[in-house]
Amino acid sequence: MLHFAEFMGISSGKKSKTYQIPVSSSISLEGHLSIPEQPHGVVLFVHGSGSSRFSPRNRYVARVLQEAGFATLLIDLLTKQEEVQDHYTGHLRFNIDLLSEHVVEVTNWMTAQQESSGLKIGYFGASTGAAAALVAVTRLPQVVGAVVSRGGRPDLARSFLPYVKAPTLLIVGSRDTQVIQLNQMALSLLQVEKRLVLVEGATHLFEEPGTLERVARLACEWFERYLTA
């Protein structure tokens, strides 16, 4: 497997393109879609607070998924104007309703594109993005086939968790004590096939050697199980 320390990008001999994805009549978000030959499914990355589609950790996991045969779409959850506003207030990054609406619209866009239509869809959410992904799943119960959360805040989607229909994997660092507790609570509310995995030695950002590689392996296994069946 590609190691994070060796990672240099997300495209390597794959069809890749950046799109302006409409989420309303006047708002578009930028997204980068990469599609390997004969993809098994497509994974939408929903980044966490203060991040973007350029998150090196999400890009690394996306590259690993591409090598495993999955298409990936990395998006900005906020427009340029919203990012400027959020820079000063920090409010939009925790507006789970707004973020989940954007995820739903991007998913609908994916299902309408020739390159990705017909592919089973998975979500990979990080931090607050995991909450947005889980809320979006409840609005698209027949569309999304699996969810993976990395260091996520599923507690921010607490009232929606009993209605999630997609198998959900929660990945947390073993040293991320507070987030472990929040994920344990979320696990008890989920009524689907679910699993909580603690990555030994990892803190919230999975910066420790080998920990992000472990996340990527777990994500691959989960998506292979539920998107390629």
Side-chain angles (χ1 to χ4, degrees), residues 40-149:
H40 306 315
V42 57
V43 178
L44 172 61
F45 281 72
V46 189
H47 62 72
S49 59
S51 188
S52 72
R53 73 182 189 279
F54 297 111
S55 160
R57 291 171 183 81
N58 279 355
R59 292 173 69 200
Y60 167 75
V61 176
R63 176 68 173 272
V64 172
L65 287 173
Q66 291 163 20
E67 292 180 345
F70 291 97
T72 62
L73 177 61
L74 290 95
I75 60 169
D76 288 334
L77 282 177
L78 300 175
T79 66
K80 300 294 186 185
Q81 294 81 2
E82 288 170 338
E83 286 177 357
V84 171
Q85 179 185 349
D86 187 64
H87 176 75
Y88 292 103
T89 66
H91 292 162
L92 293 179
R93 68 186 65 180
F94 292 101
N95 187 335
I96 304 303
D97 287 339
L98 172 67
L99 300 180
S100 65
E101 288 173 8
H102 286 181
V103 173
V104 168
E105 292 304 321
V106 171
T107 304
N108 290 334
W109 176 87
M110 272 200 308
T111 63
Q113 301 309 300
Q114 182 176 0
E115 298 99 325
S116 52
S117 65
L119 295 176
K120 292 186 177 181
I121 296 172
Y123 286 161
F124 183 96
S127 189
T128 53
L134 288 164
V135 173
V137 166
T138 66
R139 296 171 179 167
L140 298 167
Q142 305 302 319
V143 176
V144 183
V147 179
V148 174
S149 165

Side-chain angles (χ1 to χ4, degrees), residues 142-161:
Q142 305 302 319
V143 176
V144 183
V147 179
V148 174
S149 165
R150 171 183 66 82
R153 289 292 309 277
D155 56 295
L156 296 176
R158 179 170 184 162
S159 62
F160 292 87
L161 295 179

Side-chain angles (χ1 to χ4, degrees), residues 204-229:
H204 185 62
L205 294 178
F206 296 87
E207 297 173 304
E208 296 72 24
T211 58
L212 195 61
E213 287 85 346
R214 174 66 172 151
V215 169
R217 285 195 297 270
L218 289 166
C220 274
E221 292 168 2
W222 197 258
F223 289 130
E224 286 172 349
R225 180 176 181 183
Y226 292 105
L227 298 187
T228 65

Side-chain angles (χ1 to χ4, degrees), residues 23-37:
V23 293
S24 74
S25 59
S26 60
I27 296 176
S28 294
L29 302 174
E30 290 193 6
H32 190 92
L33 179 65
S34 296
I35 303 181
E37 292 185 7

